[in-house]
Amino acid sequence: SDPNWEANHEALAMMLLRSGDTPLAASEFEKLSKLPHRLDALACAAVCRRILGDSAGAESLVAAAGRRGQMPVPRFRLWVARLTETFPGRR
């Protein structure tokens, strides 16, 4: 019911990511990723999970992208891999 919900959660996710709180950033991106048009948030959540060493969580998010049918899984996986290299908080 809050018209600013999406923008507020995106801003919070990015602030958490920049401040090094990758676990909470992942949680915020996962909330956003439930919106059908936020494939980008799904990718960001997967990257956060990869950075945290949660490969099962990352793969679950990749599978979710496949179920949505918006992008072929191999292409989404490549996007996540490339995005991982540019993300704040990666080790």
Side-chain angles (χ1 to χ4, degrees):
S1 65
D2 179 3
N4 298 316
W5 182 91
E6 186 175 352
N8 289 342
H9 281 274
E10 182 173 12
L12 178 58
M14 294 306 293
M15 181 198 67
L16 289 165
L17 189 62
R18 283 191 300 271
S19 70
D21 196 338
T22 307
L24 284 178
S27 179
E28 290 301 315
F29 283 124
E30 287 166 3
K31 289 175 191 175
L32 286 166
S33 75
K34 293 180 192 300
L35 299 170
H37 65 280
R38 293 304 304 259
L39 194 61
D40 63 320
L42 192 58
C44 289
V47 170
C48 287
R49 292 293 167 203
R50 284 180 111 190
I51 289 169
L52 292 168
D54 180 4
S55 58
E59 278 306 306
S60 174
L61 293 163
V62 168
R67 286 191 299 276
R68 287 187 185 182
Q70 294 169 305
M71 182 183 292
V73 170
R75 190 166 146 211
F76 186 80
R77 190 173 276 121
L78 181 61
W79 181 24
V80 168
R82 288 181 177 161
L83 194 55
T84 300
E85 294 302 313
T86 65
F87 240 55
R90 74 168 218 243
R91 294 173 190 161

